[in-house]
Amino acid sequence: MQAKGRFGSLTDIGLVRKSNEDKALSLIDAQGNVLLCVCDGMGGYMKGDFASKIAVDVINAAFKSHIKWIFDFQVKMWISKVVKSINYSVFSESQDSERFAGMGTTLCMAIFFKGKIFVVNVGDSRAYRLESEEIVQLTKDQTYVQYMLNKGEIDEQEKLTSKDRHALMNFIGHDKDVNYTLDVIKNDSKTILLCSDGLYNNATDKQIFSALASSERLDQKINTLIGIANANGGSDNIAISMWEPYKHD
C-alpha cells in the first residue's frame, strides 16, 4: 500500500550565480504514485538551464502518460526508458548545436510505488532519508573525489576540501550511452529529501536535519532550507524536492 504524505519542490538562484540552472519536480499520478526529481544543469548560461529543462520536461510528460503500473519491473522499465530518452535528447543537442556544446545535467529521482521507493541517480545531486537523530544519504556521489575515497586514496576530510570535489565522473549528456544507479528501498514513512549540491555544500547535515525534523509545514521546511543555504553564502543554485508522511495525532 502506498504510504500517504505531502510533497513539494522549489528552486532558488542563490546569491552568486547569474542564472538558475537547477530544476525540481514533484508529481502524483492517477494511481497515487509520487515522483520527486532534482536536476542540476551544467555548461554555463543557457546550456545548463536547457539540459535540466529537457530532463524535467521528459519526466513530466512520461509520468503523466504512463500505463498503469502493477509490478516493480514495470517501474524499472519505465525508469530505464525515460533516463535513456533524456540522455539521448541532451547528448544529441550538445553534439548537433554549437550553442549547446558541452551541456549536461545531474538527475536524482525518487518514485514511490506500493510501499517501495525507487531511487535513481546520475551525478552528484543527492537523496536523503530523515531518521530519528540524523539524515542518511541514500545516493552515492558520482564524482572523482568519491571514486578516490572508495579506493582508499583519500579520507573523508580530504574529500571535503579537495579542489576536485566538484568534478563529475558521470552526468546526463556525458556520452551517447548513460549509466545510472537504481536502488529500491522500503518506504517506511520517513521524510525523503532530494537536493542539488547548492544545498548540501551550503548547509551542514545537522542544519538539514533540524529543518526536516521541525514542526513547520512542508513548504516552510523547504523555504527554511533555502534560507539556510543562502545565509551560509548561497554559492550555487539550490533545488529541493521532498516528501513527508502525514502526521497522526
Side-chain angles (χ1 to χ4, degrees), residues 138-177:
L138 301 176
T139 53
K140 281 196 173 181
D141 299 342
Q142 297 172 351
T143 58
Y144 178 68
V145 292
Q146 184 64 48
Y147 170 74
M148 296 295 285
L149 180 66
N150 293 342
K151 290 181 65 178
E153 297 186 10
I154 61 173
D155 60 27
E156 195 68 44
Q157 187 58 42
E158 289 172 312
K159 173 188 171 183
L160 295 174
T161 57
S162 170
K163 62 181 176 59
D164 297 319
R165 64 187 181 278
H166 301 301
L168 292 177
M169 295 190 71
N170 188 33
F171 56 87
I172 296 287
H174 179 254
D175 202 347
K176 64 180 180 179
D177 296 315

Side-chain angles (χ1 to χ4, degrees), residues 27-47:
L27 301 168
I28 189 167
D29 66 10
Q31 294 175 256
N33 304 310
V34 172
L35 179 147
L36 306 179
C37 177
V38 161
C39 295
D40 181 355
M42 64 199 74
Y45 178 63
M46 293 299 291
K47 295 180 181 181

Side-chain angles (χ1 to χ4, degrees), residues 146-239:
Q146 184 64 48
Y147 170 74
M148 296 295 285
L149 180 66
N150 293 342
K151 290 181 65 178
E153 297 186 10
I154 61 173
D155 60 27
E156 195 68 44
Q157 187 58 42
E158 289 172 312
K159 173 188 171 183
L160 295 174
T161 57
S162 170
K163 62 181 176 59
D164 297 319
R165 64 187 181 278
H166 301 301
L168 292 177
M169 295 190 71
N170 188 33
F171 56 87
I172 296 287
H174 179 254
D175 202 347
K176 64 180 180 179
D177 296 315
V178 62
N179 294 308
Y180 65 92
T181 61
L182 171 60
D183 295 294
V184 183
I185 63 174
K186 180 182 178 183
N187 183 0
D188 49 8
S189 294
K190 294 176 180 176
T191 298
I192 299 294
L193 169 72
L194 273 56
C195 66
S196 62
D197 61 353
L199 177 64
Y200 67 76
N201 282 336
N202 288 287
T204 65
D205 284 4
K206 185 176 180 180
Q207 288 174 319
I208 295 173
F209 169 81
S210 295
L212 295 181
S214 75
S215 59
E216 292 183 321
R217 297 192 315 266
L218 182 137
D219 61 318
Q220 293 173 323
K221 292 178 182 180
I222 293 175
N223 280 304
T224 294
L225 288 167
I226 289 173
I228 291 169
N230 283 329
N232 290 339
S235 63
D236 203 350
N237 307 147
I238 306 152

Side-chain angles (χ1 to χ4, degrees), residues 19 21 42-52 99-100 103:
S19 62
E21 298 177 283
M42 64 199 74
Y45 178 63
M46 293 299 291
K47 295 180 181 181
D49 178 71
F50 187 46
S52 58
R99 180 185 180 191
F100 297 119
M103 73 174 178

Side-chain angles (χ1 to χ4, degrees), residues 63-88:
F63 190 67
K64 288 179 177 179
S65 63
H66 75 79
I67 62 169
K68 183 178 180 180
W69 294 329
I70 300 174
F71 304 107
D72 288 7
F73 79 85
Q74 293 174 304
V75 183
K76 293 178 180 179
M77 288 177 61
W78 182 88
I79 290 169
S80 176
K81 182 179 178 180
V82 167
V83 175
K84 288 177 182 177
S85 176
I86 295 168
N87 188 75
Y88 175 80

